Amino acid sequence: MTHVLDDLDARGLIAHSTDRDALRAELSEGPITYYVGFDPTAPSLHIGNLLQILTARRLQLAGHKPLMLVGGSTGLIGDPKEAGERVMNPKETVGEWVDNIREQVSRFVELGGDNGATIVNNLDWTAGLSTIDFLRDIGKHFPVNRMLARDVVSSRLESGISYTEFSYVLLQSLDYLELHRRHGCVLQTGGSDQWGNITAGVELVRRADGHKVHALATPLITKADGTKFGKTEAGTVWLDPGLTSPYAFYQSWIQAEDSKVIEYLRQFTFLALDEIAAIEAEHVEKPGLRAAQRRLAAEVTTLVHGQDETTAAELASRALFGRAELAELSESTLAAALREAGAVDLSAADRPTVVDAFVAAGLADSKSAARRAVADGGAYVNNERVSDPDLELADGLLHGKWAVLRKGKRSISGVSVS
């Protein structure tokens, strides 16, 4: 059986680790307890966080016990950013986000069994901690010169950094110490951008308790141009379907670049590596089929939103281009698909025509261009070719308000008429 570290390595999921040989030996001796943390600085986690959740799940499947930490206290402060000081959110808002994120992470790990996950909140051990005790027991272990040398701190010294954000590393390090003492935790995982905070926790456990613990960081996931993965033109890709619809989520994976799609398959799916190798061979031979992207989108959307939403997204993708019946789409799926395609709102009182709709939706630069598209046979409404440019949209609207517009084979948009 493949050792979990070898599997993580083969999937490109190890960017940094403390003493890897010692970690391998400890993982091999028997189940260990490990943790990964998430700060509630937004109402939902995003696909960058998903990589950390799935890494935790891989370790659990290998027999180890996860602690999924939601930062009720660290979320009140926020990890310092190079761009500038964070805006602090109200305590009530952070409390609501803690509940949201606790529910999200709970769906990806097993909560029962011998190695069932435990959801923990660092507010439990910081809420009653006095400033004097914090400074005496924790602060004394952190040399200021080393804190000043941290990249994110040094980059902010000229523009300014508050003591609040400067001290964030102490709070996150305290998490590791508390989880080590309370649960016997000996491994923290996280993203490579957190490596300084993670290793500070390792050092605190050594200084405070004299124990050796471990750390492992996944790489920053990027696009081919080096920019951060997980952003689209519409913004961050969230795990909450209310913030990023399942259809938009599915499409974000469909749009994966050819040069990166196999890497994402290794990192974000539980497909066996030999199966991914077979997908890669097909992808190299026939990249135009985009079979790798479709498999990636299906696997990850099912993980996050379930099979029904994946089926609906696949159906919508086919239906918009005339390869399935639009009438089979639920209104929520159709609306999400058309909003993602740039749908606009029109007033029924204006009695919009096909020409009006094509111009409003950006499929034609002018009414004369829209008329030419109709005359050339390249204008479609709800996948039906249109021959009359002055045809009003009032009849035949899907779910009483939506019209799918298509110019030629590939240019899609839509309108909502109300």
Side-chain angles (χ1 to χ4, degrees):
M1 183 176 179
T2 303
H3 194 284
V4 64
L5 279 185
D6 292 331
D7 183 63
L8 294 177
D9 212 5
R11 292 177 182 274
L13 288 171
I14 302 179
H16 310 291
S17 65
T18 52
D19 194 337
R20 191 183 299 199
D21 290 338
L23 175 58
R24 175 184 292 273
E26 196 149 357
L27 289 165
S28 300
E29 285 175 7
I32 69 163
T33 298
Y34 61 97
Y35 96 94
V36 60
F38 304 95
D39 277 347
T41 53
S44 170
L45 299 177
H46 50 73
I47 61 176
N49 303 129
L50 179 62
L51 187 72
Q52 306 311 320
I53 298 173
L54 298 182
T55 301
R57 177 61 176 153
R58 293 182 201 281
L59 284 162
Q60 186 181 34
L61 289 171
H64 306 288
K65 180 177 175 59
L67 303 172
M68 310 297 284
L69 183 144
V70 182
S73 62
T74 44
L76 292 169
I77 293 174
D79 194 18
K81 302 184 300 182
E82 291 188 6
E85 199 79 8
R86 286 182 181 270
V87 175
M88 291 193 187
N89 297 299
K91 290 183 178 180
E92 296 76 17
T93 300
V94 173
E96 292 175 3
W97 293 350
V98 166
D99 293 338
N100 293 351
I101 292 171
R102 180 188 293 116
E103 189 278 329
Q104 284 184 331
V105 299
S106 297
R107 291 189 283 110
F108 293 93
V109 290
E110 292 293 335
L111 299 178
D114 293 339
N115 67 328
T118 301
I119 313 298
V120 294
N121 183 346
N122 56 20
L123 193 61
D124 292 343
W125 52 82
T126 57
L129 181 64
S130 73
T131 303
I132 294 298
D133 288 340
F134 180 67
L135 292 174
R136 277 176 56 88
D137 298 337
I138 305 303
K140 68 180 180 181
H141 295 298
F142 286 81
V144 171
N145 60 321
R146 290 180 60 181
M147 294 176 67
L148 289 171
R150 298 178 68 226
D151 290 343
V152 69
V153 173
S154 60
S155 70
R156 291 270 301 279
L157 287 178
E158 187 172 335
S159 61
I161 182 171
S162 70
Y163 179 74
T164 301
E165 288 199 358
F166 180 67
S167 63
Y168 176 91
V169 64
L170 277 71
L171 279 176
Q172 184 169 321
S173 299
L174 174 60
D175 291 343
Y176 204 163
L177 181 61
E178 285 292 330
L179 293 176
H180 178 65
R181 289 173 173 175
R182 293 171 181 234
H183 299 276
C185 180
V186 295
L187 170 65
Q188 181 183 0
T189 65
S192 58
D193 58 339
Q194 289 291 307
W195 187 240
N197 289 331
I198 294 171
T199 53
V202 171
E203 181 67 7
L204 176 61
V205 174
R206 186 190 68 80
R207 286 172 176 260
D209 287 2
H211 296 162
K212 180 177 181 177
V213 293
H214 307 281
L216 185 150
T218 60
L220 180 66
I221 307 302
T222 62
K223 299 179 183 178
D225 62 4
T227 58
K228 198 170 184 178
F229 178 67
K231 299 276 188 179
T232 66
E233 291 183 7
T236 300
V237 181
W238 302 101
L239 304 189
D240 186 334
L243 297 176
T244 299
S245 71
Y247 177 82
F249 186 88
Y250 177 88
Q251 288 298 318
S252 73
W253 298 97
I254 282 287
Q255 292 161 14
E257 298 152 302
D258 286 337
S259 62
K260 302 291 283 187
V261 63
I262 302 302
E263 178 183 322
Y264 300 157
L265 274 166
R266 295 190 190 103
Q267 294 166 332
F268 286 94
T269 78
F270 290 93
L271 295 176
L273 291 172
D274 55 356
E275 184 174 0
I276 294 174
I279 295 171
E280 181 176 17
E282 180 184 5
H283 175 68
V284 169
E285 183 179 353
K286 300 177 180 178
L289 296 179
R290 298 185 70 77
Q293 282 88 346
R294 292 200 305 274
R295 186 62 182 275
L296 173 68
E299 291 289 330
V300 184
T301 304
T302 300
L303 275 172
V304 175
H305 296 297
Q307 183 59 57
D308 288 348
E309 292 292 357
T310 299
T311 300
E314 291 171 334
L315 179 62
S317 297
R318 296 195 302 272
L320 291 186
F321 291 93
R323 296 192 295 272
E325 290 297 326
L326 287 167
E328 295 182 23
L329 301 182
S330 68
E331 183 173 4
S332 61
T333 299
L334 177 64
L338 290 182
R339 290 299 184 198
E340 187 71 9
V344 296
D345 298 314
L346 298 178
S347 171
D350 294 333
R351 301 176 66 181
T353 65
V354 170
V355 164
D356 297 329
F358 268 64
V359 173
L363 292 179
D365 295 333
S366 63
K367 289 189 175 183
S368 59
R371 288 181 179 277
R372 283 197 300 273
V374 173
D376 292 341
Y380 297 81
V381 175
N382 297 337
N383 289 333
E384 297 290 337
R385 182 179 281 117
V386 178
S387 58
D388 180 3
D390 297 315
L391 177 71
E392 293 185 9
L393 296 180
D395 295 330
L397 292 172
L398 299 166
H399 299 288
K401 65 179 295 186
W402 296 97
V404 178
L405 309 178
R406 176 158 55 93
K407 185 175 74 171
K409 293 182 178 181
R410 297 186 180 277
S411 298
I412 295 283
S413 191
V415 293
S416 168
V417 182
S418 58

